[in-house]
Amino acid sequence: MNTPTTHEDAREALGALALDALDGAEHEAVIAHVRECEACARELAELRETAAALVEAVPAARLDDTRRAGVRSRLLARAAADRPAVEPPRMERIVGVEPRPEAAPAAPAPAPRPAVDFAAERARRRGVPAWMAIAASLVAIAAGAWALRTAGERDALRGQLAQARVERDSGVASARALSVALAGRDSALQALGAGDVVTMRMTTTGEARRGPRGRMYWARATDAWVFVANDLPRPPAGRTYQLWLVTGDQKISAGTFAPDSGGTVLVRATYRLTPEQLKAIAVTVEPEGGVPEPTGPMVLVTSAE
Amino acid sequence: MHPPPTQPTYSEASGSSTVDTADGSEARLVARMADRDEQALADFHDRWCARVEAVVLRMVRDADDAADVVEEVFWQCWRQASRFDAARGNVERWVLTIARSRALDRLRARRRSREDVVGDDDMPVEGVATDADPASDAEHADRRTRVASALATLPPEQRVTLELAYFGGYSQSEIAARTGQPLGTIKTRMRLALQKLRSLLAPLAEDSP
């Protein structure tokens, strides 16, 4: 229902159009003409360009510090509130990996494990807020300290594995179990896909040199996470381990798991996070079936070694 | 009777052909916003708040309104960062165009809700810091001076018409009513003013990155 317009009328109105000053019906009519008329389209583009330069002429003025800071913090709060709904990460659990005879000679039966009683639990009893403490053990991912830049993710993982083998505080048997778990699960390696793999060490809270160890491998390009741990005791009856990706304001469950008889576990998940978002990775002991928010003692957490 | 929404417009899609070769870092910041990097939003705000605030304050002339509008400007940048095409326009033009559009929305909404009498352009605005951002000043003082002096060389009636439309968000018929001039005269003034400004600013455009 545009009002028809002549070329002359439309051309005369181009200045007003460039300034967004045409009233409804005329605006539509002139726009319709410009779509058909190359000369008018060119002139309009030029006048628009010129009009846009008028912002340069604005005198310097600014909001006072309070209002400016208020704008900034409201924006960040809105962005945080606007995050996509947290969907449970796709998770594939690989548990009960038994050493293959050809890959690893029979290992001595693992010694009986103590019940779960780690530093976090002790910290809790002392009243130390463990979830606040992990902020202090912030993963130095942004700095790229542990980013591996190798030709292939498989080499990267194998390199990490070799390193794991010689860690003096890693038991020989568990290193072997870890080796088998990785070597036998090409799919877990493939899950990491191409690109840099970030490796994060996880240790018992508060006692980096003792207790179970874990590693999280994170391929940012594919949002793939592979969590490997060894020396993990079986959780108490009716309990399970739960893995968490911790951001500034959320603890995202990456699923529950149980270690195999050798204390080894390998968990694979897919979840998108930015390095800035990720504050820590943690493992807690929770009621069987898992919980939406961590409630139990923390047994492993990323350590900023 | 109000002018149509200012965004999106036909000419915004086809207007600027400036390619930002010199500010790849600006475009990268927008790309980080497109990736929902919240730190990038904070950085982007810090990078552009001085320019955006100046435009918005010039137009809405009320610090509380301006703070609301500035927030909406950056929010729109955040939400639409993935639509920004670094090959087709520069970041500065993009963010300032959004700033003007959102300020126009506020002005027009204000006029709809109350018979807004045009404020005195020299009226002091509370809540506005008197110290301008030195960094922003240094960066833009030259261009500001050149555009402002080009504007000053226009015949007064053309300049006033231009400013009422561009910064005041008034339609041609509103300006005609306010100034008591025929609509055709206002229309002609707008086109002549922009054409003259264009010839005056041509050397500036060539200097721009």
Side-chain angles (χ1 to χ4, degrees):
Chain A
M1 49 188 251
N2 292 341
T3 315
T5 186
T6 66
H7 173 71
E8 284 67 30
D9 285 349
R11 206 172 55 157
E12 197 58 27
L14 291 178
L17 179 59
L19 292 164
D20 303 307
L22 286 182
D23 302 287
E26 189 176 2
H27 178 92
E28 295 304 319
V30 177
I31 285 284
H33 173 81
V34 167
R35 287 204 176 101
E36 305 294 324
C37 176
E38 202 182 314
C40 284
R42 194 166 41 239
E43 181 175 341
L44 177 63
E46 291 172 358
L47 296 181
R48 273 273 178 195
E49 193 71 21
T50 305
L54 287 172
V55 288
E56 304 286 357
V58 165
R62 53 161 296 184
L63 293 173
D64 55 41
D65 288 341
T66 309
R67 283 187 174 83
R68 178 180 280 185
V71 167
R72 191 182 196 274
S73 62
R74 284 196 301 277
L75 276 168
L76 294 178
R78 284 172 79 175
D82 190 48
R83 283 175 197 152
V86 176
E87 293 168 17
R90 294 199 306 281
M91 191 191 73
E92 177 184 333
R93 191 173 67 224
I94 305 168
V95 293
V97 178
E98 296 297 338
R100 289 178 183 169
E102 69 275 15
R113 305 282 175 188
V116 173
D117 178 20
F118 297 119
E121 182 76 305
R122 291 192 290 277
R124 261 159 65 94
R125 285 201 298 270
R126 288 198 308 269
V128 176
W131 284 106
M132 289 187 58
I134 61 172
S137 67
L138 184 73
V139 190
I141 296 171
W146 298 326
L148 294 172
R149 295 181 180 277
T150 63
E153 74 284 351
R154 193 180 279 228
D155 291 345
L157 260 184
R158 295 243 155 86
Q160 288 298 307
L161 186 56
Q163 197 182 331
R165 281 203 192 95
V166 298
E167 274 178 5
R168 56 195 163 88
D169 48 0
S170 270
V172 173
S174 5
R176 187 164 56 238
L178 176 61
S179 158
V180 171
L182 287 173
R185 300 288 169 175
D186 279 356
S187 62
L189 301 175
Q190 283 158 5
L192 289 172
D196 296 344
V197 176
V198 178
T199 306
M200 291 158 276
R201 291 162 193 264
M202 297 174 67
T203 57
T204 306
T205 48
E207 290 186 40
R209 293 288 157 203
R210 293 178 199 283
R213 320 281 301 211
R215 280 166 189 270
M216 179 67 98
Y217 300 94
W218 178 20
R220 289 210 51 218
T222 55
D223 302 321
W225 306 73
V226 174
F227 168 71
V228 180
N230 52 20
D231 284 346
L232 259 188
R234 288 190 179 285
R239 301 266 153 175
T240 183
Y241 289 114
Q242 194 161 358
L243 179 63
W244 304 92
L245 308 179
V246 183
T247 68
D249 55 3
Q250 281 180 318
K251 300 174 189 80
I252 302 154
S253 173
T256 59
F257 63 88
D260 70 357
S261 59
T264 298
V265 65
L266 197 156
V267 174
R268 211 168 70 178
T270 306
Y271 195 78
R272 165 152 280 187
L273 280 182
T274 64
E276 292 74 22
Q277 285 176 301
L278 184 68
K279 299 300 180 202
I281 295 158
V283 171
T284 59
V285 177
E286 303 292 352
E288 220 151 35
V291 287
E293 283 269 342
T295 59
M298 194 190 304
V299 295
L300 284 175
V301 68
T302 38
S303 55
E305 291 172 31
Chain B
M1 181 111 135
H2 288 282
T6 55
Q7 195 211 350
T9 68
Y10 169 75
S11 53
E12 267 175 29
S14 65
S16 170
S17 59
T18 312
V19 177
D20 246 345
T21 49
D23 75 353
S25 63
E26 308 288 6
R28 274 198 298 280
L29 189 51
V30 178
R32 280 173 55 210
M33 289 205 295
D35 286 342
R36 318 318 284 162
D37 175 350
E38 289 165 30
Q39 182 58 46
L41 172 61
D43 295 346
F44 187 81
H45 170 269
D46 297 344
R47 167 70 183 86
W48 293 106
C49 63
R51 301 293 309 283
V52 169
E53 287 168 7
V55 171
V56 172
L57 278 165
R58 166 69 179 83
M59 294 175 68
V60 305
R61 310 197 62 76
D62 173 277
D64 287 327
D65 267 8
D68 284 351
V69 172
V70 169
E71 183 181 332
E72 290 313 310
V73 170
F74 285 106
W75 186 246
Q76 184 175 342
C77 293
W78 167 251
R79 298 301 298 266
Q80 297 184 350
S82 59
R83 289 200 234 156
F84 175 76
D85 182 356
R88 294 195 53 181
N90 68 40
V91 176
E92 177 185 36
R93 183 59 53 85
W94 178 62
V95 61
L96 295 183
T97 298
I98 291 174
R100 176 170 172 267
S101 296
R102 296 291 71 78
L104 282 181
D105 289 348
R106 177 59 60 108
L107 283 174
R108 289 168 181 173
R110 229 158 53 179
R111 281 176 206 144
R112 277 196 294 275
S113 66
R114 56 187 152 94
E115 281 310 306
D116 185 76
V117 179
V118 185
D120 176 355
D121 271 3
D122 297 322
M123 170 179 71
V125 184
E126 283 179 28
V128 175
T130 48
D131 57 319
D133 280 285
S136 164
D137 265 0
E139 200 176 328
H140 300 105
D142 181 49
R143 278 190 287 166
R144 181 189 301 124
T145 306
R146 292 173 75 176
V147 178
S149 26
L151 208 49
T153 63
L154 295 178
E157 67 280 4
Q158 283 184 17
R159 183 181 55 79
V160 168
T161 305
L162 211 53
E163 290 182 341
L164 282 171
Y166 192 80
F167 294 116
Y170 290 99
S171 70
Q172 56 175 2
S173 50
E174 287 169 326
I175 296 170
R178 283 173 48 78
T179 57
Q181 296 292 321
L183 192 57
T185 305
I186 298 303
K187 203 176 285 191
T188 305
R189 277 182 193 166
M190 287 180 176
R191 183 160 173 243
L192 289 178
L194 283 177
Q195 284 174 338
K196 175 149 193 209
L197 209 53
R198 177 172 172 73
S199 66
L200 289 166
L201 293 177
L204 176 62
E206 281 160 20
D207 288 355
S208 308

